[in-house]
Amino acid sequence: METRRSVVGFSPGFMVLLFWVSLISRATARFVVEKNSLTVTSPNSIKGSHDSSIGNFGIPQYGGSMAGTVVYPKQNVKGCKDFEEFGISFKAKAGALPTFVLVDRGDCFFVLKVWNAQKAGASAVLVADDIEEPLITMDSPQEDGGSSKYVENITIPSALIDKDFGEKLKKAIRAGDMVNVNLDWREAVPHPDDRVEYELWTNSNDECGTKCDMLMEFVKDYKGAAQILEKGGYTQFTPHYITWYCPRAFTVSRQCKSQCINNGRYCAPDPEQDFSQGYEGKDVVIENLRQLCVFRVANESKKPWVWWDYVTDFQIRCPMKDKKYNKECADAVIRSLGLDGKKIEKCMGDPNADSQNPVLEEEQEAQVGKGSRGDVTILPTLIVNNRQYRGKLEKGAVLKAICSGFEETTEPAVCLSGDIETNECLDNNGGCWQDKTLNVTACKDTFRGKVCKCPLVDGVQFKGDGYSTCEAIGPGRCKINNGGCWQQTQNGRTFSACVDTDGNKCLCPPGFKGDGVKSCEDIDECKEKKACQCPECRCKNTWGSYECTCIGDFLYIRDHDTCISKQATEAKSAWAAFWAIFIGLAMTAGGAYLVYRYRLRSYMDSEIRAIMSQYMPLDSQTEVPNHVSEDHA
Ligand SMILES: *[C@@H]1O[C@H](CO)[C@@H](O)[C@H](O)[C@H]1NC(C)=O
Ligand SMILES: *[C@@H]1O[C@H](CO)[C@@H](O)[C@H](O)[C@H]1NC(C)=O
Ligand SMILES: *[C@@H]1O[C@H](CO)[C@@H](O)[C@H](O)[C@H]1NC(C)=O
């Protein structure tokens, strides 16, 4: 069966629903397909970006991207049969890009095509549309056919492409071109700020087959992460519930009475699709309304995360199959969680009243798409930063989508935990740099996919492009593998070519020559006439240095690289001492004489002046006495 009909719909196809007009169709249905960008990187003739719509199963790599080579099988082009029957395998050879299998739409469920391709080793599936139409979302089937067994196990992403683009790809492949494409989910979720707003359109019905089971499993599994994100203020989560309404002409019909509350205003399909037994649609509407009110009341008391506790507890304690899906059981859960039951009752209002319920009225409004978000038509639907999430409802996959809604570096720790990391590094080291002797790699798995980033080893940051090179650079680099430089020890002496400064160079130490990396060879200073060449010198080479001795009565002076006579040096020093003393004495004598001369002269000066001044006025003193005398006259 083709899946075209199940595109719009959680609603099982029983007759009554056909009479119902959902709010969606009343407000000119606007079904927005969440797209990811598909870029052809080769061949040149079809290079460029195209839209593709993300399948609503499998695991899209939200926040990341994936490159692959497109293969169009020669047989089984629709992928409805096991590829093994045709001896076809899509496993990529070591070192090759992953295989993206292109299959044609039609003849079977989308999920079966993707499952068959995955089993044959494909890394992603592109489904080429068979008619020209706007892109739709590939959904998993409603019916509990054979598909439910494998839908859960689909892990590869898939995307629908339009007919025209599909033809171009096929043509290039037929022409023998290597067709490389890039699937990019990095912009699939906008990230406007450091808080992610998200909504889950859900349902309290636990008896709708695979879809309900998956939803219940997801809620249980994801609850912990949801509560961490909410308590940390990283996210603002809001649960939503879809309701339909009964057209006026049918409000008194038996069907509408059993499916709806508030006189046909808010309805839900019968859980068993059988009006004569079990629970009715209105039981589901009432429980949905209660869950909405639980959220409102919890949110008012600033503990919105209690909603997750309520829905998981209700699911466990009050399942339909145990006939406990009722108010009594719900009240017990409410009490055990310490929620205010009276407030919740008040919020719910009277289901039998012929009037609007403000809470459900808001929900119907919210169903209609706004901005970049389309109408909500598939249940369950997750909306992250106002974009519809596509893919499997599974903790890791959903966390990836939510985490990709944060701006890079603002994501909380739960986003970087092991749970949702990719494991691309296990395969061929993710194509990143690695050093087998040091056992270090530049590959790091993150929720955004692998990144090649030079590592930090023993406190030393490696630098490089992360793909082909990473080198220890800067202080401390010699600690690691001797900075990749030459090093050798002989007779307890070690020489190294690593210089622990900001470079990454290797320099042979003095006494050696070479590239510094692979080798440094001892320089034979004697042979190469580098030192110890004076006539009295006797040279002997050693590892990294040389020894020089002098024959006879000579002494080797290393700084001057020469031999000098021991006697000459002694005589010289004696004379030097003599001269030093002699000059010292001479200078002292001279100095004393100068002092004597100076003092004698100044003494004589003053004596002569005194004597002479008695006979004649001296120039310098003439005016002073006159002046004084005038004063006294
Ligand atoms: C799906 O996976 C589960 C567990 O991983 C396994 O037990 C089951 O057989 C798988 N189903 C199919 C159809 O391969
Ligand atoms: C929950 O509370 C926050 C503020 O505390 C508010 O902004 C938000 O609208 C509330 N959500 C609902 C559904 O009432
Ligand atoms: C390399 O390191 C990893 C952990 O970092 C360890 O599990 C592995 O055994 C190491 N391999 C070798 C060869 O030392």
Side-chain angles (χ1 to χ4, degrees):
M1 260 306 295
E2 175 55 66
T3 41
R4 216 162 278 177
R5 242 160 283 114
S6 57
V7 163
V8 177
F10 146 78
S11 44
F14 58 99
M15 290 308 289
V16 167
L17 252 184
L18 294 180
F19 295 121
W20 287 355
V21 186
S22 92
L23 195 87
I24 303 302
S25 39
R26 191 175 59 181
T28 55
R30 213 170 56 86
F31 184 72
V32 174
V33 174
E34 297 307 314
K35 295 165 182 171
N36 57 313
S37 142
L38 192 157
T39 310
V40 179
T41 52
S42 85
N44 275 335
S45 56
I46 53 168
K47 228 173 182 170
S49 286
H50 298 261
D51 271 340
S52 61
S53 78
I54 309 172
N56 205 20
F57 45 84
I59 303 183
Q61 303 296 309
Y62 277 96
S65 68
M66 191 176 182
T69 303
V70 183
V71 169
Y72 184 57
K74 290 209 167 56
Q75 290 157 293
N76 196 19
V77 290
K78 290 187 175 168
C80 292
K81 293 199 178 110
D82 216 321
F83 282 99
E84 214 174 86
E85 287 176 30
F86 302 88
I88 298 174
S89 165
F90 302 117
K91 287 205 173 62
K93 291 182 190 71
L97 282 177
T99 309
F100 290 4
V101 175
L102 176 65
V103 292
D104 290 328
R105 186 174 174 188
D107 288 1
C108 61
F109 288 130
F110 288 125
V111 286
L112 183 59
K113 296 170 193 281
V114 178
W115 175 238
N116 282 335
Q118 177 177 315
K119 278 194 296 181
S123 297
V125 173
L126 304 178
V127 180
D129 209 342
D130 56 353
I131 52 168
E132 275 169 34
E133 61 170 354
L135 290 174
I136 59 157
T137 298
M138 301 187 289
D139 199 8
S140 49
Q142 304 298 325
E143 296 89 42
D144 269 345
S147 68
S148 58
K149 289 194 207 77
Y150 58 79
V151 170
E152 274 289 277
N153 291 24
I154 294 179
T155 54
I156 63 172
S158 56
L160 182 73
I161 60 174
D162 66 40
K163 189 174 180 229
D164 191 44
F165 177 44
E167 291 303 325
K168 279 186 193 156
L169 288 178
K170 285 180 221 167
K171 204 175 137 207
I173 292 165
R174 254 184 254 120
D177 280 324
M178 169 108 159
V179 179
N180 287 342
V181 298
N182 221 358
L183 268 173
D184 196 333
W185 295 266
R186 276 175 298 197
E187 295 308 321
V189 177
H191 32 80
D193 52 27
D194 57 5
R195 193 183 71 175
V196 168
E197 280 100 38
Y198 70 113
E199 319 170 342
L200 177 65
W201 287 82
T202 178
N203 192 0
S204 64
N205 181 356
D206 63 7
E207 287 286 324
C208 73
T210 326
K211 279 228 164 181
C212 284
D213 294 345
M214 274 167 75
L215 176 59
M216 302 288 137
E217 272 314 301
F218 166 70
V219 169
K220 260 189 253 174
D221 200 29
Y222 177 69
K223 173 186 143 181
Q227 293 185 325
I228 290 172
L229 288 167
E230 206 68 16
K231 286 178 187 169
Y234 299 110
T235 55
Q236 185 178 36
F237 170 76
T238 317
H240 285 295
Y241 295 81
I242 292 184
T243 57
W244 284 264
Y245 76 96
C246 197
R248 272 227 163 292
F250 299 94
T251 44
V252 288
S253 70
R254 196 167 72 94
Q255 286 91 334
C256 281
K257 279 198 178 311
S258 82
Q259 315 299 303
C260 310
I261 63 168
N262 293 75
N263 199 26
R265 284 183 178 81
Y266 316 105
C267 318
D270 187 288
E272 302 91 356
Q273 302 180 28
D274 182 343
F275 302 129
S276 59
Q277 59 155 7
Y279 290 98
E280 297 180 328
K282 72 176 179 196
D283 297 320
V284 175
V285 184
I286 290 175
E287 180 52 33
N288 285 352
L289 175 60
R290 184 176 290 116
Q291 299 195 351
L292 277 167
C293 287
V294 164
F295 179 76
R296 296 225 166 180
V297 170
N299 193 39
E300 263 170 40
S301 58
K302 304 271 177 265
K303 285 182 181 164
W305 53 84
V306 176
W307 178 87
W308 291 94
D309 292 318
Y310 176 81
V311 293
T312 46
D313 287 3
F314 181 81
Q315 201 178 297
I316 294 163
R317 295 173 62 179
C318 318
M320 286 182 180
K321 67 173 190 311
D322 294 353
K323 306 256 177 300
K324 287 186 181 160
Y325 187 90
N326 55 36
K327 179 172 171 7
E328 203 187 347
C329 186
D331 283 344
V333 176
I334 288 171
R335 273 195 304 277
S336 69
L337 291 171
L339 287 160
D340 188 336
K342 285 217 177 66
K343 270 194 184 167
I344 292 168
E345 298 254 309
K346 186 161 171 270
C347 163
M348 289 175 68
D350 178 8
N352 298 316
D354 182 8
S355 61
Q356 290 190 343
N357 177 308
V359 177
L360 291 172
E361 212 52 37
E362 265 187 44
E363 291 301 289
Q364 288 196 341
E365 292 283 307
Q367 246 170 281
V368 183
K370 281 180 207 76
S372 58
R373 199 206 81 193
D375 298 333
V376 176
T377 50
I378 298 176
L379 259 192
T381 284
L382 185 75
I383 292 164
V384 183
N385 280 350
N386 212 28
R387 287 282 176 83
Q388 294 196 7
Y389 164 90
R390 291 290 177 243
K392 188 171 166 182
L393 209 54
E394 183 260 337
K395 182 187 170 193
V398 165
L399 263 179
K400 255 186 205 178
I402 288 170
C403 291
S404 72
F406 291 102
E407 260 184 89
E408 227 165 321
T409 73
T410 66
E411 58 256 331
V414 62
C415 286
L416 303 169
S417 71
D419 280 10
I420 56 167
E421 276 175 5
T422 56
N423 50 10
E424 293 162 68
C425 291
L426 294 178
D427 189 15
N428 197 23
N429 200 42
C432 304
W433 171 89
Q434 68 175 333
D435 187 315
K436 290 210 169 105
T437 45
L438 286 177
N439 191 21
V440 291
T441 168
C443 194
K444 196 170 172 344
D445 281 313
T446 74
F447 77 92
R448 291 182 197 279
K450 68 112 212 285
V451 288
C452 296
K453 189 168 174 285
C454 292
L456 183 76
V457 182
D458 291 344
V460 179
Q461 181 61 54
F462 279 57
K463 287 177 189 155
D465 65 6
Y467 294 91
S468 56
T469 53
C470 282
E471 286 175 305
I473 289 179
R477 74 180 187 106
C478 295
K479 271 192 300 188
I480 293 158
N481 198 20
N482 201 44
C485 300
W486 170 89
Q487 186 181 33
Q488 210 175 332
T489 304
Q490 270 186 22
N491 303 328
R493 295 191 68 192
T494 300
F495 284 98
S496 159
C498 189
V499 191
D500 207 352
T501 49
D502 262 348
N504 63 337
K505 290 204 184 82
C506 298
L507 271 181
C508 287
F512 289 90
K513 62 178 179 188
D515 61 9
V517 179
K518 286 212 181 69
S519 74
C520 286
E521 275 173 52
D522 173 47
I523 297 171
D524 190 336
E525 288 85 356
C526 306
K527 258 199 202 136
E528 297 192 12
K529 305 200 190 308
K530 290 249 152 102
C532 198
Q533 298 299 314
C534 66
E536 301 86 3
C537 289
R538 289 296 169 268
C539 190
K540 181 176 169 236
N541 185 46
T542 63
W543 187 65
S545 188
Y546 66 93
E547 279 166 18
C548 194
T549 47
C550 303
I551 49 165
D553 226 4
F554 287 88
L555 188 68
Y556 182 64
I557 307 292
R558 205 173 177 100
D559 284 349
H560 296 278
D561 188 30
T562 188
C563 290
I564 53 171
S565 158
K566 281 182 190 162
Q567 279 164 359
T569 48
E570 275 157 24
K572 263 182 202 159
S573 56
W575 274 107
F578 169 78
W579 277 111
I581 293 162
F582 178 77
I583 291 167
L585 284 172
M587 281 173 70
T588 316
Y593 173 71
L594 285 175
V595 169
Y596 165 76
R597 283 280 303 272
Y598 173 75
R599 293 199 55 171
L600 187 68
R601 212 180 82 192
S602 55
Y603 172 75
M604 281 174 65
D605 272 2
S606 59
E607 282 297 295
I608 291 164
R609 275 168 186 271
I611 293 162
M612 284 177 69
S613 65
Q614 291 171 17
Y615 300 95
M616 55 180 177
L618 290 172
D619 280 354
S620 58
Q621 287 176 352
T622 41
E623 277 167 38
V624 177
N626 286 352
H627 202 79
V628 169
S629 57
E630 259 174 37
D631 254 7
H632 290 270

